[in-house]
Amino acid sequence: CSADDLTSYDVAMLGRLPHQAWLAPPGAADHAAVEQALPALPELPLTPPLDGALLAGLRAQIAQWQLKGQQHGALHAALALDAEGRILHCREDIGRHNALDKLIGLLLRRHSACDTLVVTSRCGSELVQKAARFGARHLICLASPSQLAIRLALKYNLNVVHIPKFDAPVSYSSYRPADPIGECHESY
C-alpha cells in the first residue's frame, strides 16, 4: 500500500495509533472517533473552477475588509464572495475555525446562499467539512491547504483555490479529469 492509496479515513486512523495498546488493532472506539471526525457529507454538484480574473486583487480587497486584523494583528478572517468576486461579508477571530463559523452563521441567519468562501488562514480538513456542509462550491485559502483537506474537498466536489503571497493561484478541482495521483491541480 503506497501513500497514494490511502484514503482520508486511513490517514485519520493512523492518527489513532498513539491511543492504542502496543500492536493492538484499532477498536470500536478508534473507528467511532474517526467517524465523528470525518462525518458523511453530501456530495456537491460538480462546478467549474473559478475564473482566474475573479482572483485578481483579492488580497487587496481582503485587506480593506479585515479592519480588526489591521488594528490588532494576528486575526484570521473568513469572507463571502458574490458571483463577480466582490466581498459581501467578513468575520474575524483569533481562531480560524471561529472566523468561518461566524461567517457561516451570519449567512444562515440571513438565509443567504454563497458559493464562494475565503479564509485567510491555512486550509485544514475541518474547514473543508464546514464549507461543504454549508453548501459552498469554492473555498479560497491564502495559506497552503493540507493534503487531507484537498482529498476531502475533491471527494465532495468542493473546489479549493490556494492563493500564495507571491506565486500564481493553484486550483484543486474534481471538475477536470484527475491526474495519475487522483488530484487535479492547475496554476492560473
Side-chain angles (χ1 to χ4, degrees):
C1 178
S2 73
D4 291 335
D5 296 330
L6 291 175
T7 66
S8 304
Y9 190 90
D10 296 333
V11 172
M13 283 301 291
L14 289 172
R16 297 295 304 162
L17 287 176
H19 305 285
Q20 296 171 9
W22 180 252
L23 297 177
D30 297 307
H31 289 285
V34 170
E35 287 169 12
Q36 182 181 4
L38 298 172
L41 298 171
E43 197 172 290
L44 299 166
L46 280 173
T47 306
L50 290 170
D51 182 352
L54 293 177
L55 305 175
L58 185 57
R59 279 185 177 271
Q61 276 191 73
I62 291 170
Q64 293 172 0
W65 280 76
Q66 201 174 359
L67 303 177
K68 291 178 185 172
Q70 290 175 9
Q71 292 172 349
H72 307 291
L75 289 177
H76 299 289
L79 306 100
L81 301 184
D82 68 12
E84 286 78 41
R86 293 184 302 259
I87 296 174
L88 301 173
H89 304 286
C90 175
R91 291 295 178 263
E92 297 176 88
D93 198 281
I94 195 165
R96 59 195 172 101
H97 304 94
N98 295 345
L100 186 57
D101 289 343
K102 287 178 178 181
L103 177 67
I104 290 173
L106 170 75
L107 295 169
L108 290 172
R109 281 191 311 279
R110 293 189 177 181
H111 305 285
S112 299
C114 180
D115 284 344
T116 306
L117 303 177
V118 180
V119 292
T120 59
S121 62
R122 180 181 67 80
C123 179
S125 59
E126 62 287 343
L127 297 183
V128 165
Q129 290 171 335
K130 291 176 186 203
R133 179 167 280 147
F134 172 70
R137 305 290 193 263
H138 312 280
L139 179 60
I140 300 171
C141 54
L142 301 189
S144 297
S146 69
Q147 261 195 337
L148 180 56
I150 294 302
R151 287 181 185 266
L152 281 175
L154 293 173
K155 176 180 177 180
Y156 298 117
N157 297 329
L158 175 69
N159 296 326
V160 173
V161 179
H162 172 217
I163 304 178
K165 195 168 192 171
F166 300 109
D167 295 325
V170 178
S171 172
Y172 301 88
S173 177
S174 297
Y175 188 76
R176 297 191 180 106
D179 67 16
I181 62 167
E183 296 176 3
C184 182
H185 51 280
E186 298 180 3
S187 294
Y188 281 93

